[in-house]
Every structure is written in C-alpha cells, then in structure tokens.
C-alpha cells in the first residue's frame, strides 16, 4: 500500500496527466537492443556516467554492464571507473588485461575485495562483466584494451603500502623515506576511524607527511616512468589517495558537507587523471550511486553546500560531451546492512512513496523502461517532470521501515539526469562472500559471518 497525504481531485488529475505523458514517452527495455535510443542520444560524448538507486541491486549492475559493453564495442570507450577502491580495482584491471600474475579467474580476483561493503564489487554480476572484459581485451590489440579502475578515496593504508612497495622495487632509498613519512600514521594501527578521532582531540595530523610524499614521488617522475608508465601512474595515484584520504577521514568526523566534497572532488580528479593518462581520444564510463552521478545542483544537496561528480564533470567537460544516466526501482529486494560494518542482509524494498518519481513511473504500467530527459531528445513529459519530487536513494546502510524519512532526495529529474532507466521490480545482487542474512533472521556466525 502506498502511503500518501490526502490529495485533492486536482492533485490526482495532474498526477494522472503526468503518468500518461511518461507512459507515451517510455521506451520499454527487454534486451540491450532496446537501448538504441540511448546510444543515439549519447552520440560522440566522451563521458557517460551510470548511476544506481542502491548499492545492491542486480538489475542496475546488469543493465549498466549491457550498456557499457555496447559503448566499448560500438563507440570505442576506453575504461570503466567505479565507486570502488583503487588498489582492489587495479588488480581487476590487471586481470582483464591478462597481465603476468594477475590471476586466471574473475571470481577469485573479485573475492579478494575485503573492505566492507564487499558485496558492491564482489558479486556474480561483476564476475560476468569482468570475464567479458578479459575476453574482449584478449581479442583486440594492446592499444585498444579497456581498463577498470576505482575512483574512491577510502584506501588510505592500502595505498600507502602500495607506494612503499613500488619504491622498494625502483628506488630503495626513496622507499625508506616513504616509510619515515608514513610512520606518522602508525600509532593508529591502520584504523582510519581512530586516526580521524585523534585529529579532533589533538590539533595535529599527518597531512604534511602525506603531501610531502606525493610531491617527492612526482619530483622523481622522469626517472620512475622509465620503469613503466602504468606502474608509475599506479604508484602516483596511491600517493594521491594517501593525501586526499588523510583529508577525507580528518574532515569526516567533523560532520557537514566538507568530507563529501573532498571525496567527490577526489573521484573527479581521478577520472580526469585517467582521461589524461589514456590520451586525447579517451572516453570514460563511470559507475556510481545516483547521488554521485546525478547533478547535485538540481537536488537539495546544493542547499547543504554539497557538490558531486556529475556536477563537476558537467561543469568541466561540457565541450567533450557528458551524459548522466540515473537508475531507479519501485519495489523488490536489495543487499544492504542495518548498520555500518554489520553483516549484509537481503532486504525487501517496499513500494515507492506516493508522488515520488518512482511511483509515477510504476503507475505507467510499462514495466522496465528508458526515459530520455535531455531537452534535444525528450518530449512534452520533460516539462511536466520539472517540479521537485522525491528520487529514491538507498545506500549500503538501509532500514526499509523508515525509508520514507530518509531515502528520497528532492530532485528536478530532467535537470539532474539526461536519461533515466526504471526497473519496476528489482532483485538483490548475488554476493561472493557468504552468508547473506535474510531480513528478520540472524546467522549462527554473527557478527563475524561476513
């Protein structure tokens, strides 16, 4: 049952007119060929950002994968950048390029993702995608091989270890300097939360050490690049994560929009570095949550002083072509957790809140469909969708019982996205790490069952 405040006949009439307009413009999707209108709209754009309304829905992964495959095959896209940790995703990148000692099984490589929430990338849906990417790369010349990279900033300690390991191989003396620089973090036992809390209690931090190490690495770039352009780029990126990760965790404990903005600026900077690294013809696909992909200027995030990747890429790369695509659902199941760090659960996603964008789309009766929102490709429904409505957003922490109070972002949909893919009934991803708790049950191995 959809809960809603009392509505007047006028309200119901306007809603019915909107539903009818969306129904007429909805492109039903059943196979990847039904994405043809979207492929035409994307045209020669160099940036295609693909969202998701949750971090644990199978259909969001599979439809993004189908679109990504077509972008790679038909439009020559260069890499996929995801809302994931750089070190873990770089191992996937090496695997799909069949580099030495990179593994022989996508499942084994993805199973190594160990930072919670593991299910975001360690799932069967990503196994299928990365297996396809490896087959694709094996069939094309090296210069046309596609990559897979993490854009996120969370891997502070893992990235510092990667910098030291790289320098031990190319410059042992510099490796000693890196150990001294990063020693500042040692008292916190590789616990980023402990480090963050400490910087609040005592007016000190390891910022200078992290910045200095990045500068030192860059100063020696001409000699280090002789060891291999990709190897140096990987090391430099990890040093960048150490600098930005330190700032992120230090600002996170203080609350407010600052840490969010640090993170999304970092993801955008990483995306731009990857584009520069791959050359002037590079084209990027991004997989991230709708809250990172949909332009923040057309949500209540803007009032809170928050920016995001979609906004920053639009502002910085309009000339190269930027397409933002949101994803949504009315009801189904999802993998999430009741609190940060707790075991993953397969939860029920209730029907969308009455009057939300997802409710409007469900009422069309079309089922799964694509809706074009860009002004050059949309019809009359676009203008009717301009009013602010709730746009569902479920994170890794979720409680279906109270979602109406915290899981809808006030949004102007046709401004936030260039297109929207709606899946009426969705299903949870299939995680590689077991067990999965079914909502309402507690596993015998709790709380170490992950």
């Amino acid at each position: 049952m959809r809960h809603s405040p009392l509505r007047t006949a006028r309200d119901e009439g306007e809603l019915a007119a909107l539903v009818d307009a969306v129904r007429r413009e909805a492109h039903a999707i059943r196979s990847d060929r039904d994405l043809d209108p979207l492929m035409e709209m994307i045209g020669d754009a160099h940036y295609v950002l693909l969202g998701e309304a949750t971090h644990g829905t199978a259909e969001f992964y599979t439809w993004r994968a189908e679109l990504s495959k077509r972008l790679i095959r038909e439009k020559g896209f260069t890499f996929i950048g995801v809302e994931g940790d750089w070190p873990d995703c770089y191992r996937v990148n090496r695997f799909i390029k069949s580099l030495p000692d990179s593994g022989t099984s996508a499942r084994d490589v993805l199973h190594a993702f160990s930072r919670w929430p593991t299910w975001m990338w360690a799932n069967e849906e990503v196994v299928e995608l990365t297996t396809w990417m490896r087959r694709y790369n094996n069939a094309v010349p090296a210069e046309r091989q596609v990559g897979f990279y993490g854009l996120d900033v969370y891997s502070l300690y893992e990235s510092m270890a990667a910098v030291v390991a790289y320098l031990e191989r190319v410059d042992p003396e510099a490796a000693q300097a890196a150990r001294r620089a990063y020693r500042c973090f040692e008292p916190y036992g590789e616990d980023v939360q402990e480090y963050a809390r400490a910087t609040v209690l005592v007016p000190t931090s390891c910022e200078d050490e992290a910045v200095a190490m990045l500068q030192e690495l860059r100063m020696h770039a001409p000699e280090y690049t002789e060891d291999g352009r990709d190897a140096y780029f990987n090391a430099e990126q990890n040093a960048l994560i150490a600098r930005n990760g330190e700032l992120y965790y230090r600002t996170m404990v203080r609350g407010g929009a600052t840490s969010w903005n640090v993170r999304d600026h970092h993801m955008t900077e990483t995306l731009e570095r990857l584009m520069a690294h791959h050359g002037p013809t590079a084209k990027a696909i991004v997989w991230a949550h709708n809250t990172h992909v949909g332009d923040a200027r057309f949500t209540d995030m803007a009032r809170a002083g928050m920016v995001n990747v979609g906004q920053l890429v639009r502002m910085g790369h309009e000339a190269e072509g930027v397409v933002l695509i949101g994803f949504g659902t009315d009801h189904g199941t999802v993998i999430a957790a009741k609190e940060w760090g707790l075991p993953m659960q397969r939860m029920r996603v209730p029907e969308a809140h009455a009057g939300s964008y997802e409710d409007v789309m469900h009422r069309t009766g079309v089922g799964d469909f694509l809706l074009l929102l860009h002004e050059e490709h949309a019809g009359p429904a676009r203008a009717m969708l301009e009013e602010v409505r709730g746009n569902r957003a479920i994170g890794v922490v979720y409680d279906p019982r109270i979602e109406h109070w915290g899981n809808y972002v006030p949004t102007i949909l046709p401004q936030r996205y260039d297109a929207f893919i709606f899946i009426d009934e969705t299903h949870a991803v299939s995680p590689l790490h077991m067990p999965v708790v079914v909502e309402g049950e507690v596993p015998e191995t709790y709380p170490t069952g992950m």
Side-chain angles (χ1 to χ4, degrees):
M1 179 178 179
R2 295 173 195 274
H3 302 280
S4 64
L6 292 175
R7 291 179 174 275
T8 65
R10 179 181 177 184
D11 291 334
E12 292 297 339
E14 290 177 350
L15 182 60
L18 174 58
V19 169
D20 187 56
V22 171
R23 182 187 298 117
R24 288 196 300 269
E25 296 178 25
H27 301 269
I29 53 173
R30 303 292 181 267
S31 75
D32 66 324
R33 302 319 305 177
D34 296 323
L35 298 173
D36 284 351
L38 183 55
M39 292 289 288
E40 181 179 352
M41 190 194 79
I42 289 169
D44 295 326
H46 282 220
Y47 295 84
V48 175
L49 280 62
L50 307 178
E52 59 180 351
T54 83
H55 280 315
T57 296
E59 286 82 359
F60 298 154
Y61 283 83
T62 54
W63 277 108
R64 290 187 299 183
E66 291 306 310
L67 179 56
S68 297
K69 291 174 189 178
R70 290 196 62 180
L71 291 172
I72 290 166
R73 288 193 311 256
E74 300 171 32
K75 293 183 179 290
F77 272 70
T78 316
F79 63 86
I80 299 175
V82 306
E83 185 184 343
D85 292 341
W86 177 271
D88 286 335
C89 292
Y90 198 76
R91 286 195 295 272
V92 176
N93 179 64
R94 297 188 76 255
F95 167 77
I96 65 173
K97 294 176 179 176
S98 299
L99 295 176
D101 302 318
S102 61
T104 58
S105 162
R107 183 170 283 99
D108 289 345
V109 173
L110 290 165
H111 199 277
F113 279 61
S114 58
R115 189 182 64 79
W116 192 95
T118 58
W119 69 84
M120 277 184 61
W121 303 111
N123 61 60
E124 295 290 351
E125 290 75 13
V126 179
V127 167
E128 192 281 330
L129 172 66
T130 52
T131 300
W132 179 89
M133 294 178 77
R134 182 176 169 107
R135 287 199 306 266
Y136 177 87
N137 281 342
N138 286 341
V140 300
E143 64 272 13
R144 286 178 48 202
Q145 290 189 342
V146 294
F148 186 95
Y149 305 98
L151 304 179
D152 228 325
V153 74
Y154 288 132
S155 59
L156 175 62
Y157 282 95
E158 296 90 339
S159 288
M160 288 190 294
V163 171
V164 172
Y166 171 78
L167 290 174
E168 282 178 340
R169 185 161 54 85
V170 301
D171 189 344
E173 186 175 333
Q176 291 296 329
R179 287 193 190 88
R180 288 193 296 272
Y182 292 148
R183 196 168 292 153
C184 174
F185 293 91
E186 287 183 359
Y188 311 103
E190 297 192 11
D191 185 336
V192 291
Q193 304 292 339
E194 180 68 21
Y195 169 73
R197 289 190 292 268
T199 64
V200 173
L201 297 172
V202 180
T204 185
S205 76
C206 299
E207 177 184 12
D208 291 344
E209 288 79 359
V211 170
M213 196 58 241
L214 177 60
Q215 292 173 338
E216 179 75 11
L217 194 67
R218 286 175 168 169
M219 185 173 66
H220 291 283
E223 57 199 84
Y224 290 162
T225 52
E226 293 177 7
D227 178 66
R229 186 167 173 269
D230 284 347
Y232 170 77
F233 183 86
N234 179 41
E236 183 186 26
Q237 181 63 29
N238 278 303
L240 180 68
I241 292 167
R243 185 195 72 181
N244 291 344
E246 185 279 332
L247 177 60
Y248 171 78
Y249 286 112
R250 182 158 42 87
T251 57
M252 179 187 66
V253 293
R254 291 169 170 81
T258 303
S259 63
W260 173 278
N261 290 345
V262 167
R263 186 177 170 215
D264 275 53
H265 274 288
H266 172 84
M267 288 197 282
T268 304
E269 181 181 6
T270 300
L271 177 61
E272 292 173 338
R273 277 172 43 79
L274 285 164
M275 289 291 278
H277 183 68
H278 287 87
T281 62
K283 293 183 177 182
I285 303 166
V286 172
W287 287 27
H289 198 276
N290 286 344
T291 49
H292 297 292
V293 165
D295 194 325
R297 293 173 294 181
F298 304 101
T299 73
D300 67 341
M301 296 168 67
R303 288 202 305 274
M306 302 165 76
V307 299
N308 69 1
V309 177
Q311 171 187 344
L312 296 171
V313 174
R314 262 186 177 174
M315 292 171 62
H317 302 282
E318 183 180 5
E320 297 115 294
V322 178
V323 176
L324 311 182
I325 303 170
F327 284 70
T329 184
D330 178 71
H331 63 278
T333 57
V334 68
I335 296 294
K338 287 292 179 67
E339 294 181 24
W340 188 269
L342 288 187
M344 54 186 153
Q345 295 187 30
R346 183 177 292 108
M347 301 180 183
R348 184 182 66 87
V349 178
E351 294 176 330
H353 189 52
S356 66
Y357 284 113
E358 289 78 7
D359 175 47
V360 169
M361 295 177 188
H362 170 74
R363 291 179 188 228
T364 65
V366 176
D368 304 344
F369 64 86
L370 161 69
L371 185 65
L372 301 182
L373 298 169
H374 191 277
E375 58 187 351
E376 294 181 7
H377 296 83
R382 185 181 191 276
M384 299 175 69
L385 288 165
E386 286 279 352
E387 65 177 313
V388 176
R389 291 180 181 272
N391 185 197
R392 184 177 239 156
I394 295 171
V396 293
V397 174
Y398 179 51
D399 187 342
R401 299 169 300 177
I402 58 173
E403 77 149 26
H404 295 324
W405 286 271
N407 290 101
Y408 288 84
V409 178
T411 293
I412 302 175
L413 199 78
Q415 302 288 346
R416 188 179 183 189
Y417 309 106
D418 297 300
F420 198 85
I421 292 178
F422 176 72
I423 310 298
D424 192 53
E425 180 178 10
T426 50
H427 303 84
V429 293
S430 301
L432 300 184
H433 298 105
M434 299 298 284
V436 175
V437 182
V438 178
E439 189 177 12
E441 297 181 3
V442 179
E444 294 179 1
T445 51
Y446 178 85
T448 58
M450 281 186 65

